[in-house]
Amino acid sequence: MNINAFGYLITGILLNATAQFLLKKGTMAIGEIHLNADNWFSTGMQLALQWPIIAGIACYGISLIVWIIGLSRVDVTIAYPMLSLGYVVTAIAAWYFLGEVMSMQRILAIGVIIGGVALLVKS
């Protein structure tokens, strides 16, 4: 895999992880969501007006375009497993910015993911 292809994949992964983080921030402003027949529209509008939700959706759209470009240059058997790096980025961002718990089990799981992606990229 050349550096250009790797750059597209990593950019797509980072944009996807950023989208997840922003969507979480948007839902935090609203609180726990309970949809029913009476509130689905008002809840949807409330979500749609949150700037982090809007930015997260935009990140998803851009990440899709970048990902497609990356897929045109790399085998899907290499590209798709690399998406797991998004878990790593999102977990670290959630720990650092949102104060979510980073237990030893989670840290070890992140290490396994990083090791697996490193093996994959070397193949």
Side-chain angles (χ1 to χ4, degrees), residues 1 9 17 21 25 38 41 43 65 68 72 109 111 116 120 122:
M1 170 178 0
L9 294 179
F21 181 78
K25 288 289 284 183
D38 296 327
F41 184 78
T43 302
I65 294 165
I68 289 169
S72 75
L120 183 70
K122 287 188 171 225

Side-chain angles (χ1 to χ4, degrees), residues 72-83:
S72 75
R73 299 163 188 236
V74 177
D75 291 344
V76 74
T77 55
I78 292 175
Y80 191 68
M82 286 184 66
L83 280 175

Side-chain angles (χ1 to χ4, degrees), residues 42-94:
S42 62
T43 302
M45 289 304 295
Q46 194 176 13
L47 284 168
L49 296 175
Q50 294 293 319
W51 77 263
I53 299 281
I54 296 165
I57 291 168
C59 282
Y60 266 138
I62 297 166
S63 77
L64 176 63
I65 294 165
V66 171
W67 189 253
I68 289 169
I69 294 169
L71 280 177
S72 75
R73 299 163 188 236
V74 177
D75 291 344
V76 74
T77 55
I78 292 175
Y80 191 68
M82 286 184 66
L83 280 175
S84 61
L85 288 176
Y87 298 126
V88 175
V89 173
T90 305
I92 292 169

Side-chain angles (χ1 to χ4, degrees), residues 87-89 91-92 102 105-115:
Y87 298 126
V88 175
V89 173
I92 292 169
M102 186 62 76
Q105 185 175 1
R106 290 180 186 180
I107 292 169
L108 290 172
I110 287 170
V112 169
I113 290 170
I114 292 170

